[in-house]
Amino acid sequence: MRLVIIGGGISGLSLAYFLLEQRPALDILVLESEQKAGGKIWTDKIDGFLCEWGVNGFLDNRPKTLELVSKLGLTPLRSNDNARKRFIFSNGRLNLLPESPTAFLASNLLSVRGRLRILWEPFVPKWQGGDETLAHFATRRLGREAYEKLIDPMASGIFAGDPETMSLKSCFRKVYLLEQTYGSLIRGMINLQKEAKKTGRKVGAGPGGVLTSFFDGMETVIQALTAFLGERLRTGSPVVSLDRKTTSYEIFLGDGTTLSADAVVCATPAFVTSAMVKELDRELSAVLSEISYPSISVVCLGYRREKIRQNLDGFGFLVPFREGRRILGTLWDSSIFPNRAPEGYVLLRTMLGGARKSDLALEPEDTLKGIVMDELRGIMGISAEPDIARVYTHPRGIPQYTIGHEQKTARIAELCRKYKGFHVTGNAYGGIGVNDCIENSSQLAQRILQEI
Ligand SMILES: Cc1cc2nc3c(=O)[nH]c(=O)nc-3n(C[C@H](O)[C@H](O)[C@H](O)COP(=O)(O)OP(=O)(O)OC[C@H]3O[C@@H](n4cnc5c(N)ncnc54)[C@H](O)[C@@H]3O)c2cc1C
């Protein structure tokens, strides 16, 4: 029985790991199109700076990831405690994001009227309609100002998304369930806190957890998985298409060769899987192609510390769309984790593009660098030239869970079930983060082992 996993991002690699952990003799081959595995997880080292070209870390509140990290013999690195402070750029300055309800009431980030509107939230009736956009939900429950200044930048920070099209249910399921269960977010939070006190467990509506990575960056986990898989991972092997024979699958590679497999998992982005399965199933291919991936660029700028007057004590800042700026936000990477910049230097990592400004991310590298320097001058008062600059463009970055996403993924799962031994996985379906990918791969491994 040969199983081929197409795509060597964290989804494909961790799936192979979970399968082999339980059945070491299983005949598994992972095919990765690039010369090295990792997908959106690559770490660049430049003159002592450590630049993440995509994924910056994962939250330490989901056991599967930490379990995997520990089994691989790796030491996770929690972000610095003093990097908990997050800022929102609003009214021409960086405002500290309040960390507690009392701090929130005292904060000037929202007007008095905006804060009072939030306190009205428990009196807003529960939504009885269908799939609702994040923008509609947040405005309805918390008011326009809280939506624009708090919720909108959060959507940029996590999904680089457009709240006007994002599905609340698919993007923030916990929040959706809070309203559905308790009729109000505030009431729900109070109830969860009470439960937490009783059980001693930490609960909340947000993702919670502490941002975690590794001393040498996120690629550490990819290197460990790559070493574990050895020859079972074949890089530089793009798959073009696949088709079904009576009881097996034929996999057509870019170099003109064909492989045969009894089972296939596509752990590739949905648009890639869509192209691959065109001959296998036209409808499946069509539904997969509906999941959009706007462009996003990451601009890393390294500076000698004394060039920057701004206090970098914190995580960084996000920019609400209504501010009309050209960046989504900037992470102060060297404040978050050690080893991101040489002694005496700092590293700032800025995102541009996303669902609302996708084309901007595709501008030439020099233009993007110029835009970021311009914006950092306006927002943080940095007028100095950076000592290093790196621009990473993801022409198709983060999959967007827009209205109707749940139906799409249900239809995709239904169509896949028509083909014995055929599965799809990855961050297009059941959660966009590294933690989701690993958890979903673990569950898929169990299903595959039962099927065999
Ligand atoms: C800029 C950016 C920042 C992010 N930051 C974070 C973060 O800090 N934390 C977090 O949790 N998540 C973050 N994410 C989300 C992140 O993408 C996912 O969490 C996760 O890395 C996705 O893994 P994956 O394996 O599902 O997909 P991918 O990483 O996209 O892997 C898919 C793999 O398939 C390969 N492939 C493509 N076509 C073919 C083909 N034809 N044949 C064979 N192989 C093919 C690709 O080369 C790739 O290796 C970020 C995403 C982006 C774009």
Side-chain angles (χ1 to χ4, degrees), residues 88-89 139 150 199 206 224 235 259 284 309-310 322 338 345 349:
I88 300 282
F89 181 75
T139 312
L150 299 173
T199 58
T235 55
L259 290 174
L284 176 60
R309 267 172 298 149
Q310 166 89 37
R322 74 176 213 163
Y345 288 82
R349 199 163 163 272

Side-chain angles (χ1 to χ4, degrees), residues 195-211:
E195 276 172 40
K197 264 196 189 142
K198 269 194 232 153
T199 58
R201 270 180 50 222
K202 265 193 156 183
V203 283
V210 173
L211 187 72

Side-chain angles (χ1 to χ4, degrees), residues 290-408:
E290 286 172 19
I291 299 175
S292 73
Y293 286 68
S295 313
I296 184 165
S297 280
V298 178
V299 177
C300 292
L301 300 181
Y303 297 88
R304 192 175 270 286
R305 182 69 187 87
E306 66 252 21
K307 285 184 180 173
I308 297 184
R309 267 172 298 149
Q310 166 89 37
N311 176 359
L312 295 181
D313 185 14
F315 191 84
F317 64 89
L318 289 167
V319 185
F321 185 67
R322 74 176 213 163
E323 294 295 323
R325 312 301 296 222
R326 290 166 294 169
I327 62 174
L328 299 173
T330 298
L331 299 185
W332 301 338
D333 266 23
S334 48
S335 302
I336 303 174
F337 292 115
N339 197 35
R340 269 39 184 178
E343 196 55 42
Y345 288 82
V346 297
L347 179 67
L348 310 181
R349 199 163 163 272
T350 301
M351 320 298 151
L352 307 95
R356 286 185 291 204
K357 287 193 176 149
S358 187
D359 287 349
L360 181 69
L362 298 174
E363 290 289 334
E365 289 190 3
D366 276 351
T367 311
L368 292 176
K369 180 184 156 193
I371 290 174
V372 171
M373 285 175 61
D374 236 32
E375 293 291 344
L376 292 184
R377 188 177 308 120
I379 295 173
M380 288 176 66
I382 302 175
S383 47
E385 271 289 316
D387 296 287
I388 68 130
R390 276 292 182 287
V391 178
Y392 306 109
T393 296
H394 303 265
R396 298 179 93 169
I398 300 178
Q400 298 296 304
Y401 295 3
T402 53
I403 288 291
H405 188 75
E406 201 176 48
Q407 283 92 323
K408 272 179 222 162

Side-chain angles (χ1 to χ4, degrees), residues 28-227:
I28 291 187
L29 180 65
V30 181
L31 297 172
E32 164 57 42
S33 55
E34 299 296 324
Q35 292 305 329
K36 70 176 182 173
K40 295 284 179 269
I41 304 180
W42 277 16
T43 307
D44 232 358
K45 289 185 180 159
I46 313 138
D47 301 337
F49 289 91
L50 193 150
C51 303
E52 299 286 8
W53 91 305
V55 175
N56 197 36
F58 57 92
L59 296 172
D60 72 346
N61 59 347
R62 302 270 284 274
K64 264 292 156 215
T65 306
L66 291 176
E67 231 175 270
L68 175 68
V69 164
S70 146
K71 283 177 184 164
L72 290 168
L74 306 174
T75 310
L77 176 72
R78 281 162 59 104
S79 50
N80 295 327
D81 281 342
N82 63 358
R84 303 281 169 265
K85 282 186 237 160
R86 289 157 196 255
F87 296 86
I88 300 282
F89 181 75
S90 177
N91 302 326
R93 61 173 189 275
L94 292 179
N95 301 266
L96 181 65
L97 188 65
E99 286 172 57
S100 67
T102 25
F104 173 75
L105 288 175
S107 148
N108 287 327
L109 176 56
L110 261 60
S111 66
V112 173
R113 195 190 159 100
R115 280 175 271 169
L116 288 174
R117 173 61 182 82
I118 291 184
L119 294 178
W120 179 253
E121 192 272 340
F123 305 102
V124 176
K126 181 162 103 178
W127 179 248
Q128 310 279 2
D131 208 356
E132 189 184 18
T133 66
L134 177 61
H136 191 265
F137 167 84
T139 312
R140 179 174 62 76
R141 292 224 69 88
L142 304 168
R144 183 101 207 144
E145 194 182 348
Y147 157 58
E148 288 184 346
K149 290 188 178 170
L150 299 173
I151 308 299
D152 166 291
M154 184 182 72
S156 290
I158 305 175
F159 290 85
D162 177 359
E164 303 283 348
T165 58
M166 289 165 70
S167 154
L168 169 78
K169 198 197 265 186
S170 297
C171 296
F172 298 102
R173 191 153 189 89
K174 270 173 145 182
V175 178
Y176 164 76
L177 290 175
L178 213 55
E179 183 189 32
Q180 292 305 312
T181 313
Y182 299 100
S184 142
L185 304 183
I186 292 180
R187 225 170 6 227
M189 287 305 297
I190 293 171
N191 275 287
L192 289 182
Q193 292 306 334
K194 279 188 195 156
E195 276 172 40
K197 264 196 189 142
K198 269 194 232 153
T199 58
R201 270 180 50 222
K202 265 193 156 183
V203 283
V210 173
L211 187 72
T212 301
S213 177
F214 304 93
F215 188 75
D216 284 312
M218 279 301 290
E219 202 175 306
T220 306
V221 68
I222 300 299
Q223 283 166 354
L225 286 166
T226 301

